[in-house]
Amino acid sequence: MYIPTYEDVAAAHERIAPHIHRTPVLTSGFIDDLAGAALFFKCENLQKAGVFKVRGASNAVFGLDDAQAGRGVATHSSGNHALSLSYAAGRRGIPCSVVMPRTAPQAKKSAVRGYGGKITECEPSTSSREATFAEVQAATGAEFVHPYNDARVIAGQATCAKELVAQVDGLDAVIAPIGGGGMVSGTCLALSNLAPDIDVYAAEPAQADDACRSLKAGRIIADDAPETVADGLRVPLKELTWHFVSHHVADILTVPEKDIVDAMRLIWHRMKIVVEPSSAVALAAVLNNSDVFAGRRVGVILTGGNVDLGALPWKHH
Amino acid sequence: MYIPTYEDVAAAHERIAPHIHRTPVLTSGFIDDLAGAALFFKCENLQKAGVFKVRGASNAVFGLDDAQAGRGVATHSSGNHALSLSYAAGRRGIPCSVVMPRTAPQAKKSAVRGYGGKITECEPSTSSREATFAEVQAATGAEFVHPYNDARVIAGQATCAKELVAQVDGLDAVIAPIGGGGMVSGTCLALSNLAPDIDVYAAEPAQADDACRSLKAGRIIADDAPETVADGLRVPLKELTWHFVSHHVADILTVPEKDIVDAMRLIWHRMKIVVEPSSAVALAAVLNNSDVFAGRRVGVILTGGNVDLGALPWKHH
C-alpha cells in the first residue's frame, strides 16, 4: 500500500490548478455567536462540479499517461465522485464509466450525464455496487479511480486544507465530514506536514457512525448502506483512509439527523450558500460540542452543494 | 440637490470597511457557455445582512455626528434597506425604526427584528408607505435615511463597483437590477470615475418597468406598487437616482417573470449560492440579450440573498 506524501500533494496542486477553483473562505458573525468560536468555512460547495472531489478526480485523470488515458476511467460512487470523475475526464477528453446506486439523487445522475459520464445503475448496497463495477471494468478496460481508497485521490483532496491554511492564519482545529474518509485523510496529510499543531476532527451522522466505531475499536468496521440524509457519507473506511484516520484524527463526533438538517438550513439562511446535507454534518458537530470548540479558531470544510432543489429536507408552504 | 462625488465614495469605503464584507467574485463555466460571454458575478448576496444595501446604510449611520446618532435613524423599505439600516444602527448601538409593507416577506421582517429594528407596518403602496413613515418620523425625531434617494446611500452602494473593478480586469460592461436605482446609481458614480469605458446596464422586471419607460420618456415615471416576483424592485426612481440613470446608463433591459425565476434557479443550481429573485433579473437580462453581451466580459451584480427558504418560487416533490 503506497501512502501519499506531501510531495504528492504539492505535485497534485500544480497539476490540477487549471481545472479547479481556489474556493473562498466565508465567515458568519451570527454563526460564530451561536458556536462561541471563530469559524472559517472553506467553501468546496463552490468548487467546480459543486464538490471537493473534483480535486482528487482531476489529480488522478491528469496524472495518467496517454496510453492509460486512452482506455478511459471508471468508478463507483454515491454521486459526487461520479460527477467529479466525469468532469475531469471531460476536461481531458477521455471516456468515463460510473456505477451509481439507482437511489442516488436525480440531480447527481443528471450532473454526471451533463459532464459526459456513462452511468450503470446498481442496488444501494456496497456489495451490489462492487459486483456491478467488476462487470463494467471488465467490459471497458478502463483505469479504476476509487472514490477515496486511492493515493492519487487523497493527494488531490489534500490540496483543500493546503489552501485553507494559506487563506486563514492561526487555526486551532479543522473539521470535515467523514464517509469513506477521503477528505479527512487529505486534511490529515496536508496538515500533519504544514501545520501539525492543528487538530483534525471528523464529523459523522449518528445513523452512519461506522468510522466513529472503527476509531474506538482500533480496526475498520464497515456497515452495508446505512440510512442518513447525508447521502455522501454512507460508505465505509478502507485501508488507506484508515491509515490517516487512525494515526491523525483527534476525534470523530457524531450528530443526529435532525441536527444535520437544521445546520444545513442555518447555512443556507445565514450564509446564502447552497450546501448538501453531508456538508452540514461538520457544522452540526461544532454546534453540538462547545466543550471541544468554544473559543477556538476552527476551519469547517463545506464539502459540496449538489442537492435536488425540488426536494429539500424541510417544509414548504 | 447634492450629487455625490468620487471623493464621497472613497470616504465611504474607508468608513464602512470594518462593517462590511469585501464580497467574492464568482464565475461559472456552464453559465458562460449559455451566455456566450465571460460573466463575473459580484456576490452581494454574501454581504453582511445578505444584501448590498448594508454598504449605503452603514455609510449613512457611521457618518452621523453623535447628536444626530443619539436620536436614531428611520426609513421605509420593501425589506432589504430596512434590515440593512437595522444592521448598521445595531453596529453603532443606536435605535432604528422602519416602515415596511405588511406583505413584505416574513424572512425579511424577522431579519429586521433580529438586528434590533422596530417595525411599523403599512399597506403595500408607495402612498401608504410615505404617509405611515411621516407619522413615525414625527414621533421619533430620527434621522431619515431614504433607501436610495440619498447621497450618502448612493456613495455607499458605489463601493461595490469600486471593489469589482479592483477584482476583475478588463470588464466591458456591468449590469445590475434596477428598482429605485440606488445600486445602479452607485455603479454609474464609481465607474464613470474609475473606468468610464465600461458600459453600465440596468435590468428590470417587465411587469415593473417604470425605470425603462422613464429612460425612454426622458422623465421619471412612477408606478404605484407594480407586481413582480422580484420584490426588491417595485419602487420608482427619484430625483437623485434619475440623475445618474439618465446621464450614465447605456440601456435598461426588461425580462419576463418566468425568466427571472429560471435565472434564479440556474444560479442556485450551478453556482451553489442563494440569491433572491431581484438578483436574478440581471442574469436573465444577459441571457436574453446575446446581441448586447456576447463575446464581452460582463460584471453581473448579484444584489442579495434574502429569501424565505420555505416558500421558493418553484415546485417541490
Side-chain angles (χ1 to χ4, degrees), chain B residues 9-242:
Chain B
V9 179
H13 215 175
E14 195 164 334
R15 183 179 293 127
I16 69 179
H19 310 293
I20 65 166
H21 289 305
R22 187 178 198 260
T23 54
V25 173
L26 299 182
T27 60
S28 163
F30 184 86
I31 298 178
D32 280 2
D33 287 347
L34 280 184
L39 307 185
F40 300 88
F41 294 90
K42 177 67 169 163
C43 291
E44 291 293 296
N45 58 319
L46 306 180
Q47 187 52 269
K48 293 279 186 185
V51 66
F52 75 92
K53 294 192 179 200
V54 155
R55 296 174 183 269
S58 297
N59 190 42
V61 163
F62 285 92
L64 295 175
D65 65 33
D66 288 346
Q68 285 175 309
R71 293 187 294 273
V73 288
T75 197
H76 51 74
S77 158
S78 62
N80 274 327
H81 177 64
L83 66 91
S84 297
L85 195 66
S86 301
Y87 166 85
R91 295 276 292 206
R92 187 156 177 185
I94 65 176
C96 178
S97 301
V98 296
V99 172
M100 293 179 76
R102 61 174 170 72
T103 53
Q106 200 54 49
K108 288 184 180 170
K109 290 185 194 169
S110 302
V112 166
R113 293 194 186 98
Y115 288 125
K118 183 169 176 292
I119 298 174
T120 305
E121 294 198 342
C122 66
E123 291 304 304
S125 70
T126 302
S127 48
S128 166
R129 177 189 303 211
E130 293 183 349
T132 308
F133 179 73
E135 294 170 26
V136 169
Q137 198 186 14
T140 59
E143 171 79 9
F144 178 33
V145 182
H146 190 280
Y148 50 93
N149 197 46
D150 182 308
R152 302 167 294 184
V153 170
I154 290 173
Q157 319 305 33
T159 61
C160 175
K162 177 173 177 282
E163 288 176 12
L164 176 59
V165 293
Q167 290 167 303
V168 183
D169 288 332
L171 287 175
D172 300 305
V174 170
I175 186 165
I178 191 160
M183 170 51 82
V184 168
S185 294
T187 303
C188 292
L189 170 55
L191 296 185
S192 62
N193 283 275
L194 291 173
D197 291 343
I198 297 178
D199 294 329
V200 178
Y201 290 88
E204 194 173 34
Q207 285 188 194
D209 67 343
D210 49 305
C212 178
R213 286 182 285 124
S214 299
L215 193 64
K216 283 181 184 156
R219 63 183 173 82
I220 298 175
I221 296 171
D223 294 337
D224 202 18
E227 260 311 309
T228 170
V229 67
D231 60 279
L233 305 180
R234 289 176 183 150
V235 291
L237 296 171
K238 295 272 187 186
E239 297 72 17
L240 194 51
T241 53
W242 172 244

Side-chain angles (χ1 to χ4, degrees), chain A residues 124-159:
Chain A
S125 70
T126 303
S127 47
S128 167
R129 179 189 304 211
E130 294 183 348
T132 308
F133 180 73
E135 294 170 26
V136 168
Q137 199 187 12
T140 60
E143 172 78 9
F144 178 33
V145 182
H146 190 279
Y148 49 93
N149 196 47
D150 182 308
R152 302 166 295 183
V153 169
I154 290 173
Q157 320 305 34
T159 61

Side-chain angles (χ1 to χ4, degrees), chain A residues 64-241:
Chain A
L64 294 177
D65 65 32
D66 288 346
Q68 285 174 308
R71 294 187 294 273
V73 288
T75 197
H76 50 75
S77 159
S78 63
N80 274 327
H81 177 64
L83 65 91
S84 297
L85 195 65
S86 301
Y87 165 84
R91 295 276 292 206
R92 187 156 178 185
I94 65 176
C96 178
S97 301
V98 296
V99 172
M100 295 180 75
R102 61 174 171 71
T103 53
Q106 200 53 50
K108 288 183 180 169
K109 291 186 195 169
S110 302
V112 166
R113 292 193 187 99
Y115 288 124
K118 182 169 178 291
I119 298 175
T120 305
E121 295 198 343
C122 66
E123 292 305 303
S125 70
T126 303
S127 47
S128 167
R129 179 189 304 211
E130 294 183 348
T132 308
F133 180 73
E135 294 170 26
V136 168
Q137 199 187 12
T140 60
E143 172 78 9
F144 178 33
V145 182
H146 190 279
Y148 49 93
N149 196 47
D150 182 308
R152 302 166 295 183
V153 169
I154 290 173
Q157 320 305 34
T159 61
C160 175
K162 176 172 177 282
E163 288 177 11
L164 176 60
V165 293
Q167 290 168 302
V168 183
D169 288 332
L171 287 175
D172 299 305
V174 170
I175 186 166
I178 191 161
M183 169 51 81
V184 168
S185 294
T187 304
C188 291
L189 170 56
L191 297 185
S192 62
N193 283 275
L194 291 172
D197 292 342
I198 298 178
D199 294 327
V200 178
Y201 289 89
E204 193 173 34
Q207 285 189 193
D209 67 343
D210 50 304
C212 178
R213 286 183 284 125
S214 299
L215 192 63
K216 284 181 185 158
R219 61 181 173 82
I220 298 176
I221 296 172
D223 294 337
D224 201 20
E227 259 311 307
T228 170
V229 67
D231 60 279
L233 305 181
R234 289 176 184 150
V235 290
L237 297 171
K238 295 272 186 185
E239 297 72 18
L240 195 51
T241 53

Side-chain angles (χ1 to χ4, degrees), chain A residues 21 26-27 45-46 50 115 265 268-274 305-306 308-312 314-317, chain B residues 21 26-27 45-46 50 115 265 268-274 305-306 308-312 314-317:
Chain A
H21 289 305
L26 299 182
T27 59
N45 58 318
L46 306 180
Y115 288 124
R265 187 164 178 162
W268 287 47
H269 179 210
R270 301 303 308 208
M271 297 183 65
K272 314 300 180 190
I273 54 176
V274 170
N306 293 318
D308 183 343
L309 293 173
L312 300 175
W314 51 70
K315 274 196 197 148
H316 284 75
H317 51 81
Chain B
H21 289 305
L26 299 182
T27 60
N45 58 319
L46 306 180
Y115 288 125
R265 186 163 179 164
W268 287 47
H269 179 210
R270 300 303 310 208
M271 297 183 65
K272 314 301 180 188
I273 54 176
V274 170
N306 293 317
D308 184 342
L309 293 174
L312 300 175
W314 51 71
K315 273 196 201 150
H316 283 74
H317 51 82

